[in-house]
Amino acid sequence: MSWSDVCTNLLDKESLFENQGHKERFREAVECYENCVFFTKGLCKCLYLASWDMEHFVMILETLNGLVARREKNLKDMKITGEQLADEMKGDERYIMELSVAFVGEEPYCLEDGSEIGEDVKYIINQALKAGVLIDKAEAEI
Protein backbone atom coordinates (compact mmCIF):
# COMPACT_ATOMS: atom_id res chain seq x y z
CA MET A 1 0.00 0.00 0.00
CA SER A 2 1.35 3.46 -0.84
CA TRP A 3 2.20 6.10 1.74
CA SER A 4 -0.64 8.32 0.46
CA ASP A 5 -3.16 5.49 0.85
CA VAL A 6 -2.00 4.57 4.34
CA CYS A 7 -1.99 8.17 5.60
CA THR A 8 -5.26 9.12 3.94
CA ASN A 9 -6.97 6.03 5.35
CA LEU A 10 -5.61 6.61 8.87
CA LEU A 11 -6.64 10.26 8.89
CA ASP A 12 -10.03 9.51 7.37
CA LYS A 13 -10.70 6.78 9.94
CA GLU A 14 -10.17 9.38 12.69
CA SER A 15 -12.36 11.97 10.88
CA LEU A 16 -9.47 14.42 10.55
CA PHE A 17 -10.46 15.72 7.13
CA GLU A 18 -12.68 18.77 7.28
CA ASN A 19 -14.40 17.90 4.00
CA GLN A 20 -13.94 15.90 0.81
CA GLY A 21 -11.89 18.69 -0.80
CA HIS A 22 -9.42 18.64 2.10
CA LYS A 23 -9.08 14.88 1.77
CA GLU A 24 -8.60 14.92 -2.00
CA ARG A 25 -6.06 17.78 -1.95
CA PHE A 26 -4.05 15.93 0.68
CA ARG A 27 -4.15 12.59 -1.13
CA GLU A 28 -3.18 14.14 -4.48
CA ALA A 29 -0.29 16.12 -3.00
CA VAL A 30 1.14 13.13 -1.12
CA GLU A 31 0.80 10.95 -4.23
CA CYS A 32 2.63 13.58 -6.26
CA TYR A 33 5.60 14.03 -3.90
CA GLU A 34 5.89 10.81 -1.86
CA ASN A 35 8.61 9.44 -4.14
CA CYS A 36 10.73 12.59 -4.09
CA VAL A 37 14.05 12.35 -2.30
CA PHE A 38 13.08 15.24 0.00
CA PHE A 39 9.76 13.70 1.12
CA THR A 40 9.52 13.19 4.89
CA LYS A 41 6.84 12.55 7.48
CA GLY A 42 7.22 16.22 8.36
CA LEU A 43 6.41 17.27 4.81
CA CYS A 44 3.42 14.93 4.86
CA LYS A 45 2.15 16.72 7.98
CA CYS A 46 2.73 20.06 6.26
CA LEU A 47 0.70 18.84 3.28
CA TYR A 48 -2.18 17.95 5.60
CA LEU A 49 -2.11 21.46 7.05
CA ALA A 50 -1.79 23.19 3.69
CA SER A 51 -4.64 21.11 2.26
CA TRP A 52 -7.23 22.82 4.48
CA ASP A 53 -7.82 25.50 1.87
CA MET A 54 -6.97 26.19 -1.74
CA GLU A 55 -4.85 29.31 -1.03
CA HIS A 56 -2.39 27.47 1.20
CA PHE A 57 -2.51 24.40 -1.00
CA VAL A 58 -1.46 26.36 -4.08
CA MET A 59 1.31 28.04 -2.09
CA ILE A 60 2.84 24.73 -0.98
CA LEU A 61 2.56 23.21 -4.44
CA GLU A 62 4.47 26.16 -5.91
CA THR A 63 7.14 25.73 -3.25
CA LEU A 64 7.43 21.98 -3.81
CA ASN A 65 7.51 22.33 -7.58
CA GLY A 66 10.43 24.73 -7.09
CA LEU A 67 12.23 22.10 -5.00
CA VAL A 68 11.69 19.53 -7.73
CA ALA A 69 12.89 21.94 -10.44
CA ARG A 70 16.07 22.72 -8.44
CA ARG A 71 16.53 19.00 -7.70
CA GLU A 72 16.72 19.66 -3.97
CA LYS A 73 17.62 16.73 -1.77
CA ASN A 74 16.15 18.07 1.48
CA LEU A 75 13.77 20.66 2.93
CA LYS A 76 16.43 22.97 4.41
CA ASP A 77 15.65 25.90 2.12
CA MET A 78 11.91 25.42 2.57
CA LYS A 79 12.35 25.60 6.34
CA ILE A 80 14.48 28.76 6.14
CA THR A 81 11.96 30.45 3.86
CA GLY A 82 9.12 29.45 6.19
CA GLU A 83 10.94 30.90 9.19
CA GLN A 84 11.48 34.18 7.34
CA LEU A 85 7.82 34.32 6.30
CA ALA A 86 6.65 33.57 9.85
CA ASP A 87 8.75 36.46 11.18
CA GLU A 88 6.99 38.81 8.74
CA MET A 89 3.48 37.58 9.49
CA LYS A 90 1.09 38.72 12.15
CA GLY A 91 -1.91 37.14 13.81
CA ASP A 92 -3.34 33.74 12.99
CA GLU A 93 -1.33 33.28 9.78
CA ARG A 94 1.88 33.45 11.81
CA TYR A 95 0.81 30.49 13.98
CA ILE A 96 -0.06 28.42 10.92
CA MET A 97 3.33 29.20 9.35
CA GLU A 98 5.15 28.40 12.61
CA LEU A 99 3.42 25.03 12.72
CA SER A 100 4.36 24.40 9.08
CA VAL A 101 7.98 25.19 9.85
CA ALA A 102 7.92 22.88 12.87
CA PHE A 103 6.47 20.10 10.72
CA VAL A 104 9.05 20.58 7.96
CA GLY A 105 11.84 20.60 10.53
CA GLU A 106 10.29 17.60 12.30
CA GLU A 107 10.29 19.58 15.53
CA PRO A 108 7.70 19.64 18.33
CA TYR A 109 5.12 22.44 18.35
CA CYS A 110 3.00 23.76 21.15
CA LEU A 111 0.79 26.82 21.20
CA GLU A 112 1.96 29.24 23.83
CA ASP A 113 -0.47 29.96 26.65
CA GLY A 114 -2.10 33.30 26.13
CA SER A 115 -1.64 33.21 22.36
CA GLU A 116 -4.08 35.57 20.70
CA ILE A 117 -5.42 33.16 18.16
CA GLY A 118 -8.86 32.73 16.65
CA GLU A 119 -10.88 29.68 17.58
CA ASP A 120 -11.04 28.53 13.96
CA VAL A 121 -7.24 28.58 13.62
CA LYS A 122 -6.80 26.96 17.03
CA TYR A 123 -9.08 24.17 15.79
CA ILE A 124 -7.04 23.73 12.59
CA ILE A 125 -3.78 23.62 14.55
CA ASN A 126 -5.16 21.06 17.00
CA GLN A 127 -6.45 18.88 14.16
CA ALA A 128 -3.07 19.13 12.40
CA LEU A 129 -1.28 18.10 15.59
CA LYS A 130 -3.58 15.07 15.91
CA ALA A 131 -2.93 14.21 12.27
CA GLY A 132 0.80 14.58 12.90
CA VAL A 133 0.71 11.92 15.61
CA LEU A 134 -1.01 9.51 13.23
CA ILE A 135 1.40 10.30 10.40
CA ASP A 136 4.31 9.58 12.75
CA LYS A 137 2.77 6.17 13.47
CA ALA A 138 1.88 5.48 9.83
CA GLU A 139 5.33 4.26 8.92
CA ALA A 140 4.68 1.00 10.73
CA GLU A 141 1.62 0.43 8.53
CA ILE A 142 3.53 0.41 5.22
Side-chain angles (χ1 to χ4, degrees):
M1 190 177 284
S2 72
W3 181 257
S4 61
D5 288 338
V6 169
C7 287
T8 302
N9 291 341
L10 281 172
L11 298 177
D12 198 31
K13 182 179 173 185
E14 296 298 320
S15 301
L16 288 172
F17 292 111
E18 195 62 16
N19 53 45
Q20 191 64 26
H22 182 204
K23 179 180 174 180
E24 290 306 313
R25 285 188 294 271
F26 173 77
R27 178 189 294 275
E28 289 172 13
V30 175
E31 283 177 357
C32 186
Y33 298 102
E34 67 186 329
N35 293 315
C36 292
V37 67
F38 57 76
F39 189 84
T40 63
K41 290 184 289 185
L43 179 58
C44 189
K45 296 174 196 178
C46 197
L47 290 171
Y48 170 85
L49 182 60
S51 296
W52 273 79
D53 63 71
M54 191 55 80
E55 178 185 348
H56 290 99
F57 186 67
V58 168
M59 192 182 325
I60 198 163
L61 291 184
E62 289 173 355
T63 301
L64 294 174
N65 287 337
L67 294 177
V68 170
R70 291 189 308 274
R71 298 181 180 176
E72 294 287 342
K73 304 250 188 275
N74 59 54
L75 301 172
K76 181 179 153 191
D77 289 343
M78 185 176 173
K79 184 175 186 277
I80 291 168
T81 300
E83 290 169 340
Q84 291 168 345
L85 288 171
D87 287 343
E88 297 169 7
M89 294 176 162
K90 296 193 186 316
D92 291 349
E93 284 293 315
R94 180 184 181 108
Y95 295 107
I96 295 289
M97 184 58 71
E98 288 174 346
L99 178 56
S100 294
V101 169
F103 281 160
V104 168
E106 299 194 37
E107 299 163 352
Y109 180 85
C110 185
L111 277 175
E112 297 173 14
D113 289 337
S115 298
E116 292 184 23
I117 185 170
E119 288 302 315
D120 54 336
V121 172
K122 192 179 292 185
Y123 173 76
I124 291 170
I125 288 172
N126 285 328
Q127 292 297 92
L129 291 171
K130 289 176 193 175
V133 170
L134 291 175
I135 290 167
D136 282 338
K137 293 178 181 177
E139 195 166 38
E141 301 288 325
I142 298 176

